[in-house]
Amino acid sequence: MIFPPELIKGTFKTIVLKLLADNKKMYGYEITQRVKELTRERIQMTEGTLYPTLHALESEGLVTTETEYIGKRVRKYYSLSPSGKAKSKEKVKEFAEFVATMQLLLDTNLKAI
Amino acid sequence: MIFPPELIKGTFKTIVLKLLADNKKMYGYEITQRVKELTRERIQMTEGTLYPTLHALESEGLVTTETEYIGKRVRKYYSLSPSGKAKSKEKVKEFAEFVATMQLLLDTNLKAI
DNA sequence: AATAATACATAAGATTCCAATGTATTTATA
DNA sequence: TATAAATACATTGGAATCTTATGTATTATT
């Protein structure tokens, strides 16, 4: 199943923050591949989505960056700042509560009321 | 907890279709109140969101309407068409699968890999 | 030698929601 | 009985956010 964009929208920051919380540091391309792999290609995070997300997180002070060279190729690693770690937990919890709330709407058979 | 709009975005059609599947017919104001009540005010569906959603569903042939008068006040009831019933099931299932996929990203402690 | 994969990034456009606004009726309250 | 709150419809302009497309360059594979 391929998910409609409007469903995935709004979860990208949460996904990136959580991946960084679990992996200390990752670079952009690595994140796109990890998401694809972990979701069995059900969620694709393209560059057009990822890089603006990373840059937004950086400007909010939630991630820090360090640049490495692999040969001549630049690799930009992203890590969580302390506030980023807190934010990661917060966003994951928020998503869980959102799902619980949605289940109040979607799982109950309202005819019985 | 108040959910950020970008998380709720994309679920409105699903919510409305499911409510209509469980209640045969509902009018707009009733839907806003039911959502508020069922989610304990965690999700608010305002008119600016609801009516465009209902009109979109109507133009897609997923809902039909009938107008009633309660005194002088117009009340417009919305019901699912056959394709709307199918769509409702489909969207609810889609949301469940989306959640399952997100849990692949958010619930696993990736450090262990 | 050519292609695919790796790796960064931006920009224009589309979509979609949200806040604000508007009209009108009915019910509750002061 | 006047006023406020709740009920009930609806639209619109703006904001936010993602997606598609595009661009550049290096490294690995065939």
Side-chain angles (χ1 to χ4, degrees):
Chain A
M1 175 176 289
I2 298 154
F3 302 117
E6 67 267 21
L7 206 54
I8 304 176
K9 280 181 182 184
T11 64
F12 288 118
K13 276 191 184 176
T14 305
I15 292 170
V16 171
L17 287 170
K18 170 65 173 168
L19 286 179
L20 290 177
D22 287 339
N23 292 278
K24 298 300 179 201
K25 67 175 188 177
M26 297 181 85
Y27 54 97
Y29 186 75
E30 186 183 12
I31 292 173
T32 66
Q33 298 308 301
R34 188 66 62 88
V35 169
K36 194 194 287 188
E37 172 200 328
L38 286 171
T39 66
R40 290 168 218 162
E41 309 200 16
R42 290 195 188 100
I43 296 178
Q44 306 262 356
M45 199 172 317
T46 63
E47 289 101 327
T49 300
L50 178 63
Y51 289 111
T53 299
L54 285 170
H55 299 158
L57 292 173
E58 192 177 7
S59 76
E60 291 170 50
L62 300 172
V63 303
T64 56
T65 61
E66 45 184 314
T67 300
E68 273 187 25
Y69 278 87
I70 309 296
K72 285 181 184 174
R73 184 186 289 168
V74 171
R75 185 178 284 179
K76 198 167 165 188
Y77 279 100
Y78 293 83
S79 308
L80 292 187
S81 68
S83 64
K85 285 178 193 171
K87 193 73 164 180
S88 174
K89 284 181 193 169
E90 186 188 317
K91 294 293 279 180
V92 170
K93 188 179 175 190
E94 177 187 273
F95 186 78
E97 289 193 28
F98 170 65
V99 170
T101 301
M102 282 297 290
Q103 283 169 350
L104 297 173
L105 292 170
L106 301 184
D107 286 2
T108 310
N109 183 345
L110 301 173
K111 283 178 224 161
I113 295 176
Chain B
M1 174 176 289
I2 299 155
F3 303 119
E6 68 268 21
L7 206 53
I8 303 176
K9 281 180 183 184
T11 65
F12 288 117
K13 276 191 185 177
T14 306
I15 292 170
V16 171
L17 287 170
K18 170 64 172 166
L19 287 179
L20 290 177
D22 286 340
N23 292 278
K24 297 301 178 199
K25 67 176 188 177
M26 297 181 84
Y27 55 96
Y29 186 75
E30 186 184 11
I31 293 173
T32 66
Q33 298 308 302
R34 188 67 62 88
V35 169
K36 195 196 284 190
E37 172 201 328
L38 286 171
T39 66
R40 290 167 218 163
E41 308 201 16
R42 289 195 189 100
I43 295 177
Q44 307 263 357
M45 200 173 315
T46 62
E47 288 101 326
T49 300
L50 177 63
Y51 289 110
T53 299
L54 285 170
H55 299 159
L57 292 174
E58 192 177 7
S59 77
E60 290 171 51
L62 300 172
V63 303
T64 57
T65 61
E66 46 183 315
T67 300
E68 273 187 25
Y69 278 86
I70 309 296
K72 285 181 183 173
R73 184 186 287 166
V74 172
R75 186 177 283 178
K76 198 167 164 189
Y77 278 100
Y78 294 84
S79 308
L80 292 187
S81 67
S83 64
K85 286 177 193 170
K87 193 71 163 183
S88 173
K89 284 182 193 168
E90 186 187 317
K91 294 294 278 181
V92 170
K93 188 179 175 189
E94 177 186 273
F95 186 78
E97 288 193 30
F98 170 65
V99 170
T101 302
M102 282 296 290
Q103 283 169 349
L104 297 173
L105 292 169
L106 302 184
D107 286 1
T108 310
N109 183 345
L110 300 173
K111 285 177 221 158
I113 296 176

Short mmCIF file of all heavy atoms in Angstrom, two decimals, chain A residues 15-75:
data_model
loop_
_atom_site.label_atom_id
_atom_site.label_comp_id
_atom_site.label_asym_id
_atom_site.label_seq_id
_atom_site.Cartn_x
_atom_site.Cartn_y
_atom_site.Cartn_z
N ILE A 15 9.90 11.64 12.39
CA ILE A 15 10.70 10.51 11.90
C ILE A 15 12.19 10.83 11.98
O ILE A 15 12.99 10.04 12.49
CB ILE A 15 10.31 10.17 10.44
CG1 ILE A 15 8.90 9.58 10.39
CG2 ILE A 15 11.32 9.21 9.82
CD1 ILE A 15 8.33 9.42 8.98
N VAL A 16 12.56 12.00 11.50
CA VAL A 16 13.98 12.37 11.48
C VAL A 16 14.52 12.49 12.90
O VAL A 16 15.61 11.98 13.21
CB VAL A 16 14.19 13.68 10.69
CG1 VAL A 16 15.61 14.18 10.86
CG2 VAL A 16 13.88 13.47 9.22
N LEU A 17 13.76 13.14 13.76
CA LEU A 17 14.22 13.29 15.15
C LEU A 17 14.41 11.94 15.82
O LEU A 17 15.38 11.72 16.54
CB LEU A 17 13.23 14.15 15.94
CG LEU A 17 13.23 15.65 15.61
CD1 LEU A 17 12.03 16.35 16.27
CD2 LEU A 17 14.53 16.31 16.05
N LYS A 18 13.48 11.03 15.58
CA LYS A 18 13.58 9.70 16.20
C LYS A 18 14.77 8.91 15.66
O LYS A 18 15.51 8.28 16.42
CB LYS A 18 12.27 8.94 15.95
CG LYS A 18 12.29 7.48 16.32
CD LYS A 18 12.47 7.23 17.81
CE LYS A 18 12.29 5.73 18.11
NZ LYS A 18 12.73 5.40 19.49
N LEU A 19 15.00 8.97 14.36
CA LEU A 19 16.15 8.27 13.78
C LEU A 19 17.44 8.81 14.37
O LEU A 19 18.35 8.05 14.71
CB LEU A 19 16.15 8.41 12.25
CG LEU A 19 15.12 7.58 11.49
CD1 LEU A 19 15.23 7.85 10.00
CD2 LEU A 19 15.28 6.09 11.77
N LEU A 20 17.52 10.12 14.51
CA LEU A 20 18.73 10.72 15.07
C LEU A 20 18.88 10.39 16.55
O LEU A 20 20.00 10.23 17.05
CB LEU A 20 18.72 12.24 14.86
CG LEU A 20 18.92 12.69 13.40
CD1 LEU A 20 18.81 14.20 13.30
CD2 LEU A 20 20.25 12.19 12.84
N ALA A 21 17.78 10.27 17.25
CA ALA A 21 17.84 9.90 18.67
C ALA A 21 18.41 8.50 18.83
O ALA A 21 19.12 8.20 19.79
CB ALA A 21 16.45 9.98 19.30
N ASP A 22 18.12 7.63 17.86
CA ASP A 22 18.56 6.24 17.96
C ASP A 22 19.92 6.00 17.35
O ASP A 22 20.51 4.94 17.54
CB ASP A 22 17.54 5.33 17.25
CG ASP A 22 16.25 5.20 18.06
OD1 ASP A 22 16.30 5.45 19.27
OD2 ASP A 22 15.22 4.85 17.47
N ASN A 23 20.42 6.95 16.57
CA ASN A 23 21.65 6.69 15.82
C ASN A 23 22.77 7.71 16.00
O ASN A 23 23.72 7.71 15.23
CB ASN A 23 21.31 6.57 14.33
CG ASN A 23 20.49 5.33 14.05
OD1 ASN A 23 21.04 4.23 13.92
ND2 ASN A 23 19.17 5.47 13.99
N LYS A 24 22.63 8.56 16.99
CA LYS A 24 23.68 9.55 17.26
C LYS A 24 23.94 10.49 16.10
O LYS A 24 23.72 11.68 16.20
CB LYS A 24 24.99 8.87 17.70
CG LYS A 24 24.87 8.08 18.97
CD LYS A 24 24.45 8.95 20.15
CE LYS A 24 24.29 8.13 21.44
NZ LYS A 24 23.43 8.82 22.41
N LYS A 25 24.46 9.99 15.00
CA LYS A 25 24.61 10.89 13.85
C LYS A 25 24.32 10.16 12.56
O LYS A 25 24.64 8.98 12.40
CB LYS A 25 25.99 11.54 13.84
CG LYS A 25 27.14 10.60 13.59
CD LYS A 25 28.46 11.39 13.48
CE LYS A 25 29.61 10.49 13.04
NZ LYS A 25 30.87 11.23 12.86
N MET A 26 23.68 10.87 11.65
CA MET A 26 23.36 10.31 10.33
C MET A 26 23.50 11.43 9.30
O MET A 26 23.35 12.60 9.61
CB MET A 26 21.92 9.79 10.30
CG MET A 26 21.62 8.66 11.24
SD MET A 26 19.88 8.09 11.10
CE MET A 26 20.01 6.93 9.72
N TYR A 27 23.74 11.02 8.06
CA TYR A 27 23.75 12.02 7.00
C TYR A 27 22.50 11.84 6.13
O TYR A 27 21.82 10.81 6.22
CB TYR A 27 25.04 11.94 6.17
CG TYR A 27 25.37 10.60 5.59
CD1 TYR A 27 25.04 10.29 4.27
CD2 TYR A 27 26.03 9.63 6.35
CE1 TYR A 27 25.36 9.07 3.73
CE2 TYR A 27 26.35 8.40 5.81
CZ TYR A 27 26.00 8.12 4.50
OH TYR A 27 26.32 6.90 3.95
N GLY A 28 22.23 12.86 5.34
CA GLY A 28 20.96 12.93 4.63
C GLY A 28 20.62 11.70 3.81
O GLY A 28 19.56 11.09 4.00
N TYR A 29 21.50 11.35 2.96
CA TYR A 29 21.22 10.20 2.09
C TYR A 29 20.96 8.94 2.91
O TYR A 29 20.08 8.14 2.58
CB TYR A 29 22.40 9.99 1.14
CG TYR A 29 22.17 8.92 0.11
CD1 TYR A 29 21.34 9.16 -0.99
CD2 TYR A 29 22.76 7.66 0.23
CE1 TYR A 29 21.11 8.18 -1.93
CE2 TYR A 29 22.54 6.68 -0.71
CZ TYR A 29 21.72 6.95 -1.79
OH TYR A 29 21.50 5.97 -2.73
N GLU A 30 21.72 8.80 3.98
CA GLU A 30 21.56 7.65 4.86
C GLU A 30 20.13 7.60 5.43
O GLU A 30 19.54 6.53 5.54
CB GLU A 30 22.59 7.75 6.00
CG GLU A 30 22.64 6.55 6.92
CD GLU A 30 23.62 6.75 8.08
OE1 GLU A 30 24.08 7.90 8.30
OE2 GLU A 30 23.91 5.77 8.77
N ILE A 31 19.63 8.76 5.78
CA ILE A 31 18.27 8.84 6.35
C ILE A 31 17.24 8.38 5.32
O ILE A 31 16.35 7.59 5.63
CB ILE A 31 17.97 10.27 6.85
CG1 ILE A 31 18.86 10.58 8.06
CG2 ILE A 31 16.49 10.42 7.22
CD1 ILE A 31 18.78 12.02 8.54
N THR A 32 17.39 8.86 4.09
CA THR A 32 16.41 8.45 3.06
C THR A 32 16.42 6.94 2.88
O THR A 32 15.38 6.32 2.74
CB THR A 32 16.71 9.11 1.69
OG1 THR A 32 17.97 8.63 1.18
CG2 THR A 32 16.74 10.62 1.79
N GLN A 33 17.61 6.36 2.92
CA GLN A 33 17.73 4.92 2.72
C GLN A 33 17.20 4.14 3.91
O GLN A 33 16.55 3.10 3.76
CB GLN A 33 19.19 4.53 2.45
CG GLN A 33 19.77 5.15 1.19
CD GLN A 33 18.91 4.92 -0.05
OE1 GLN A 33 18.64 3.78 -0.42
NE2 GLN A 33 18.43 5.99 -0.67
N ARG A 34 17.46 4.65 5.10
CA ARG A 34 17.01 3.97 6.31
C ARG A 34 15.48 3.95 6.39
O ARG A 34 14.87 2.94 6.76
CB ARG A 34 17.60 4.65 7.54
CG ARG A 34 17.35 3.91 8.85
CD ARG A 34 18.07 2.55 8.92
NE ARG A 34 19.48 2.71 8.86
CZ ARG A 34 20.28 2.90 9.93
NH1 ARG A 34 19.75 2.89 11.13
NH2 ARG A 34 21.56 3.08 9.77
N VAL A 35 14.89 5.07 6.03
CA VAL A 35 13.42 5.14 6.06
C VAL A 35 12.83 4.16 5.06
O VAL A 35 11.89 3.42 5.37
CB VAL A 35 12.93 6.58 5.76
CG1 VAL A 35 11.43 6.61 5.52
CG2 VAL A 35 13.31 7.52 6.89
N LYS A 36 13.40 4.13 3.89
CA LYS A 36 12.92 3.22 2.85
C LYS A 36 13.02 1.78 3.32
O LYS A 36 12.09 0.98 3.17
CB LYS A 36 13.77 3.43 1.58
CG LYS A 36 13.16 2.82 0.34
CD LYS A 36 14.15 2.73 -0.79
CE LYS A 36 14.46 4.06 -1.45
NZ LYS A 36 15.28 3.90 -2.67
N GLU A 37 14.17 1.47 3.90
CA GLU A 37 14.46 0.11 4.35
C GLU A 37 13.53 -0.32 5.50
O GLU A 37 12.91 -1.38 5.47
CB GLU A 37 15.92 0.08 4.79
CG GLU A 37 16.43 -1.15 5.47
CD GLU A 37 17.71 -0.82 6.27
OE1 GLU A 37 18.47 0.07 5.85
OE2 GLU A 37 17.91 -1.44 7.34
N LEU A 38 13.43 0.55 6.51
CA LEU A 38 12.64 0.20 7.71
C LEU A 38 11.15 0.08 7.40
O LEU A 38 10.44 -0.69 8.03
CB LEU A 38 12.85 1.24 8.81
CG LEU A 38 14.19 1.19 9.54
CD1 LEU A 38 14.33 2.40 10.45
CD2 LEU A 38 14.31 -0.09 10.36
N THR A 39 10.68 0.86 6.44
CA THR A 39 9.25 0.82 6.12
C THR A 39 8.96 -0.07 4.91
O THR A 39 7.86 -0.07 4.41
CB THR A 39 8.70 2.24 5.82
OG1 THR A 39 9.30 2.73 4.62
CG2 THR A 39 8.99 3.19 6.97
N ARG A 40 9.97 -0.81 4.50
CA ARG A 40 9.81 -1.68 3.31
C ARG A 40 9.27 -0.89 2.13
O ARG A 40 8.33 -1.31 1.47
CB ARG A 40 8.91 -2.87 3.63
CG ARG A 40 9.59 -3.85 4.57
CD ARG A 40 8.60 -4.86 5.11
NE ARG A 40 8.88 -5.16 6.51
CZ ARG A 40 8.01 -5.71 7.35
NH1 ARG A 40 6.80 -6.01 6.94
NH2 ARG A 40 8.34 -5.96 8.59
N GLU A 41 9.82 0.31 1.98
CA GLU A 41 9.49 1.19 0.85
C GLU A 41 8.08 1.75 0.87
O GLU A 41 7.63 2.32 -0.11
CB GLU A 41 9.78 0.51 -0.50
CG GLU A 41 11.18 -0.07 -0.53
CD GLU A 41 11.71 -0.32 -1.94
OE1 GLU A 41 11.14 0.21 -2.90
OE2 GLU A 41 12.71 -1.06 -2.05
N ARG A 42 7.40 1.60 2.00
CA ARG A 42 6.04 2.17 2.06
C ARG A 42 6.10 3.68 2.27
O ARG A 42 5.19 4.40 1.91
CB ARG A 42 5.25 1.53 3.20
CG ARG A 42 4.88 0.10 2.92
CD ARG A 42 3.80 -0.38 3.87
NE ARG A 42 3.61 -1.82 3.71
CZ ARG A 42 4.12 -2.74 4.52
NH1 ARG A 42 4.85 -2.40 5.54
NH2 ARG A 42 3.88 -4.02 4.30
N ILE A 43 7.15 4.14 2.93
CA ILE A 43 7.36 5.58 3.06
C ILE A 43 8.68 5.94 2.41
O ILE A 43 9.72 5.37 2.73
CB ILE A 43 7.36 6.01 4.55
CG1 ILE A 43 5.99 5.76 5.18
CG2 ILE A 43 7.73 7.49 4.67
CD1 ILE A 43 5.90 6.10 6.66
N GLN A 44 8.62 6.85 1.47
CA GLN A 44 9.81 7.34 0.79
C GLN A 44 10.05 8.78 1.25
O GLN A 44 9.15 9.60 1.17
CB GLN A 44 9.59 7.37 -0.72
CG GLN A 44 9.13 6.05 -1.31
CD GLN A 44 10.26 5.23 -1.92
OE1 GLN A 44 11.40 5.68 -1.96
NE2 GLN A 44 9.94 4.03 -2.39
N MET A 45 11.22 9.04 1.74
CA MET A 45 11.54 10.42 2.05
C MET A 45 12.50 10.93 0.99
O MET A 45 13.69 10.61 1.02
CB MET A 45 12.14 10.55 3.46
CG MET A 45 12.05 11.97 3.96
SD MET A 45 12.53 12.22 5.68
CE MET A 45 11.78 10.88 6.51
N THR A 46 11.97 11.70 0.09
CA THR A 46 12.80 12.19 -1.01
C THR A 46 13.64 13.37 -0.55
O THR A 46 13.38 13.97 0.50
CB THR A 46 11.92 12.62 -2.20
OG1 THR A 46 11.10 13.70 -1.78
CG2 THR A 46 11.05 11.47 -2.68
N GLU A 47 14.63 13.73 -1.34
CA GLU A 47 15.51 14.84 -0.98
C GLU A 47 14.73 16.14 -0.81
O GLU A 47 15.03 16.93 0.08
CB GLU A 47 16.59 15.05 -2.04
CG GLU A 47 17.65 13.99 -2.08
CD GLU A 47 17.40 13.01 -3.20
OE1 GLU A 47 16.22 12.76 -3.51
OE2 GLU A 47 18.40 12.50 -3.75
N GLY A 48 13.77 16.35 -1.70
CA GLY A 48 12.98 17.58 -1.66
C GLY A 48 12.25 17.75 -0.35
O GLY A 48 11.89 18.87 0.04
N THR A 49 11.99 16.65 0.31
CA THR A 49 11.35 16.69 1.63
C THR A 49 12.37 16.71 2.74
O THR A 49 12.27 17.48 3.69
CB THR A 49 10.45 15.44 1.80
OG1 THR A 49 9.45 15.45 0.79
CG2 THR A 49 9.78 15.45 3.16
N LEU A 50 13.37 15.85 2.60
CA LEU A 50 14.32 15.68 3.70
C LEU A 50 15.17 16.92 3.98
O LEU A 50 15.28 17.36 5.12
CB LEU A 50 15.26 14.50 3.42
CG LEU A 50 16.31 14.31 4.50
CD1 LEU A 50 15.67 13.98 5.84
CD2 LEU A 50 17.32 13.25 4.10
N TYR A 51 15.76 17.48 2.94
CA TYR A 51 16.70 18.57 3.20
C TYR A 51 16.03 19.80 3.79
O TYR A 51 16.54 20.37 4.77
CB TYR A 51 17.53 18.88 1.95
CG TYR A 51 18.53 17.76 1.67
CD1 TYR A 51 18.40 16.93 0.57
CD2 TYR A 51 19.57 17.52 2.55
CE1 TYR A 51 19.29 15.89 0.34
CE2 TYR A 51 20.47 16.48 2.33
CZ TYR A 51 20.32 15.67 1.22
OH TYR A 51 21.20 14.65 1.01
N PRO A 52 14.87 20.21 3.26
CA PRO A 52 14.18 21.30 3.96
C PRO A 52 13.86 20.96 5.42
O PRO A 52 13.95 21.83 6.29
CB PRO A 52 12.89 21.47 3.15
CG PRO A 52 13.26 21.01 1.78
CD PRO A 52 14.23 19.88 1.99
N THR A 53 13.52 19.72 5.67
CA THR A 53 13.24 19.30 7.05
C THR A 53 14.48 19.42 7.92
O THR A 53 14.43 19.99 9.02
CB THR A 53 12.74 17.84 7.08
OG1 THR A 53 11.53 17.74 6.31
CG2 THR A 53 12.46 17.37 8.50
N LEU A 54 15.59 18.90 7.43
CA LEU A 54 16.84 18.98 8.19
C LEU A 54 17.25 20.43 8.44
O LEU A 54 17.67 20.80 9.54
CB LEU A 54 17.95 18.24 7.45
CG LEU A 54 17.90 16.71 7.50
CD1 LEU A 54 18.90 16.11 6.54
CD2 LEU A 54 18.16 16.20 8.92
N HIS A 55 17.10 21.25 7.41
CA HIS A 55 17.51 22.66 7.57
C HIS A 55 16.61 23.38 8.56
O HIS A 55 17.08 24.24 9.32
CB HIS A 55 17.50 23.34 6.21
CG HIS A 55 18.47 22.73 5.24
ND1 HIS A 55 18.36 22.86 3.88
CD2 HIS A 55 19.54 21.92 5.44
CE1 HIS A 55 19.35 22.18 3.29
NE2 HIS A 55 20.07 21.60 4.22
N ALA A 56 15.33 23.01 8.55
CA ALA A 56 14.40 23.61 9.51
C ALA A 56 14.78 23.20 10.93
O ALA A 56 14.81 24.04 11.85
CB ALA A 56 12.96 23.20 9.20
N LEU A 57 15.08 21.92 11.11
CA LEU A 57 15.48 21.44 12.44
C LEU A 57 16.75 22.14 12.91
O LEU A 57 16.90 22.47 14.08
CB LEU A 57 15.70 19.92 12.41
CG LEU A 57 14.46 19.04 12.20
CD1 LEU A 57 14.86 17.57 12.03
CD2 LEU A 57 13.49 19.19 13.36
N GLU A 58 17.64 22.36 11.96
CA GLU A 58 18.89 23.04 12.31
C GLU A 58 18.63 24.48 12.73
O GLU A 58 19.17 24.94 13.74
CB GLU A 58 19.85 23.00 11.11
CG GLU A 58 21.26 23.42 11.47
CD GLU A 58 22.23 23.32 10.28
OE1 GLU A 58 21.77 23.04 9.15
OE2 GLU A 58 23.44 23.53 10.49
N SER A 59 17.77 25.16 11.99
CA SER A 59 17.51 26.57 12.33
C SER A 59 16.72 26.70 13.63
O SER A 59 16.75 27.75 14.27
CB SER A 59 16.79 27.27 11.18
OG SER A 59 15.43 26.89 11.16
N GLU A 60 16.06 25.63 14.03
CA GLU A 60 15.36 25.63 15.32
C GLU A 60 16.29 25.23 16.46
O GLU A 60 15.87 25.17 17.61
CB GLU A 60 14.17 24.65 15.28
CG GLU A 60 13.02 25.09 14.38
CD GLU A 60 11.98 23.98 14.20
OE1 GLU A 60 11.54 23.40 15.21
OE2 GLU A 60 11.63 23.65 13.05
N GLY A 61 17.53 24.91 16.11
CA GLY A 61 18.48 24.54 17.14
C GLY A 61 18.32 23.12 17.66
O GLY A 61 18.86 22.77 18.70
N LEU A 62 17.61 22.30 16.91
CA LEU A 62 17.36 20.92 17.37
C LEU A 62 18.42 19.94 16.89
O LEU A 62 18.60 18.89 17.49
CB LEU A 62 15.97 20.46 16.91
CG LEU A 62 14.80 21.31 17.44
CD1 LEU A 62 13.48 20.91 16.79
CD2 LEU A 62 14.70 21.19 18.96
N VAL A 63 19.10 20.30 15.82
CA VAL A 63 20.20 19.46 15.35
C VAL A 63 21.45 20.30 15.10
O VAL A 63 21.37 21.50 14.85
CB VAL A 63 19.85 18.69 14.05
CG1 VAL A 63 18.61 17.84 14.22
CG2 VAL A 63 19.71 19.62 12.87
N THR A 64 22.58 19.65 15.21
CA THR A 64 23.86 20.29 14.86
C THR A 64 24.47 19.48 13.72
O THR A 64 24.11 18.33 13.50
CB THR A 64 24.82 20.28 16.06
OG1 THR A 64 24.99 18.93 16.50
CG2 THR A 64 24.26 21.10 17.21
N THR A 65 25.41 20.11 13.03
CA THR A 65 25.98 19.44 11.86
C THR A 65 27.50 19.41 11.93
O THR A 65 28.13 20.27 12.56
CB THR A 65 25.58 20.17 10.56
OG1 THR A 65 26.10 21.50 10.60
CG2 THR A 65 24.08 20.20 10.38
N GLU A 66 28.06 18.42 11.29
CA GLU A 66 29.50 18.38 11.08
C GLU A 66 29.76 17.78 9.71
O GLU A 66 29.09 16.84 9.28
CB GLU A 66 30.20 17.55 12.17
CG GLU A 66 29.51 16.25 12.47
CD GLU A 66 30.14 15.46 13.62
OE1 GLU A 66 31.37 15.35 13.64
OE2 GLU A 66 29.39 14.94 14.47
N THR A 67 30.71 18.35 9.03
CA THR A 67 30.99 17.93 7.66
C THR A 67 32.21 17.03 7.62
O THR A 67 33.22 17.32 8.24
CB THR A 67 31.24 19.18 6.79
OG1 THR A 67 30.07 19.99 6.82
CG2 THR A 67 31.54 18.77 5.36
N GLU A 68 32.07 15.94 6.88
CA GLU A 68 33.22 15.05 6.69
C GLU A 68 33.46 14.90 5.20
O GLU A 68 32.55 15.04 4.39
CB GLU A 68 32.92 13.66 7.28
CG GLU A 68 33.27 13.55 8.75
CD GLU A 68 33.13 12.12 9.26
OE1 GLU A 68 33.24 11.17 8.46
OE2 GLU A 68 32.88 11.98 10.47
N TYR A 69 34.69 14.58 4.86
CA TYR A 69 34.99 14.28 3.48
C TYR A 69 35.30 12.80 3.33
O TYR A 69 36.14 12.26 4.03
CB TYR A 69 36.16 15.13 2.97
CG TYR A 69 35.70 16.49 2.56
CD1 TYR A 69 35.61 17.53 3.48
CD2 TYR A 69 35.30 16.73 1.24
CE1 TYR A 69 35.14 18.78 3.11
CE2 TYR A 69 34.84 17.99 0.86
CZ TYR A 69 34.76 19.00 1.80
OH TYR A 69 34.29 20.22 1.42
N ILE A 70 34.58 12.18 2.42
CA ILE A 70 34.85 10.79 2.06
C ILE A 70 35.45 10.88 0.67
O ILE A 70 34.74 11.01 -0.32
CB ILE A 70 33.53 9.97 2.01
CG1 ILE A 70 32.71 10.16 3.29
CG2 ILE A 70 33.85 8.51 1.74
CD1 ILE A 70 33.36 9.65 4.55
N GLY A 71 36.79 10.86 0.62
CA GLY A 71 37.45 11.20 -0.64
C GLY A 71 37.17 12.68 -0.91
O GLY A 71 37.37 13.52 -0.03
N LYS A 72 36.66 12.98 -2.08
CA LYS A 72 36.32 14.37 -2.39
C LYS A 72 34.86 14.69 -2.11
O LYS A 72 34.43 15.82 -2.26
CB LYS A 72 36.60 14.64 -3.89
CG LYS A 72 38.07 14.78 -4.22
CD LYS A 72 38.23 15.06 -5.71
CE LYS A 72 39.71 15.11 -6.08
NZ LYS A 72 39.89 15.24 -7.53
N ARG A 73 34.12 13.63 -1.76
CA ARG A 73 32.68 13.85 -1.59
C ARG A 73 32.36 14.35 -0.19
O ARG A 73 32.82 13.81 0.80
CB ARG A 73 31.94 12.54 -1.86
CG ARG A 73 30.45 12.69 -1.81
CD ARG A 73 29.76 11.35 -1.94
NE ARG A 73 29.90 10.82 -3.28
CZ ARG A 73 29.61 9.58 -3.62
NH1 ARG A 73 29.21 8.72 -2.70
NH2 ARG A 73 29.76 9.17 -4.86
N VAL A 74 31.54 15.37 -0.13
CA VAL A 74 31.11 15.94 1.15
C VAL A 74 30.04 15.05 1.77
O VAL A 74 29.14 14.58 1.08
CB VAL A 74 30.52 17.35 0.97
CG1 VAL A 74 29.88 17.83 2.26
CG2 VAL A 74 31.59 18.31 0.52
N ARG A 75 30.18 14.85 3.05
CA ARG A 75 29.12 14.16 3.78
C ARG A 75 28.81 14.99 5.02
O ARG A 75 29.70 15.30 5.81
CB ARG A 75 29.58 12.75 4.16
CG ARG A 75 28.50 11.93 4.80
CD ARG A 75 28.98 10.54 5.10
NE ARG A 75 29.05 9.69 3.91
CZ ARG A 75 29.47 8.43 3.95
NH1 ARG A 75 29.88 7.90 5.10
NH2 ARG A 75 29.50 7.70 2.85
#
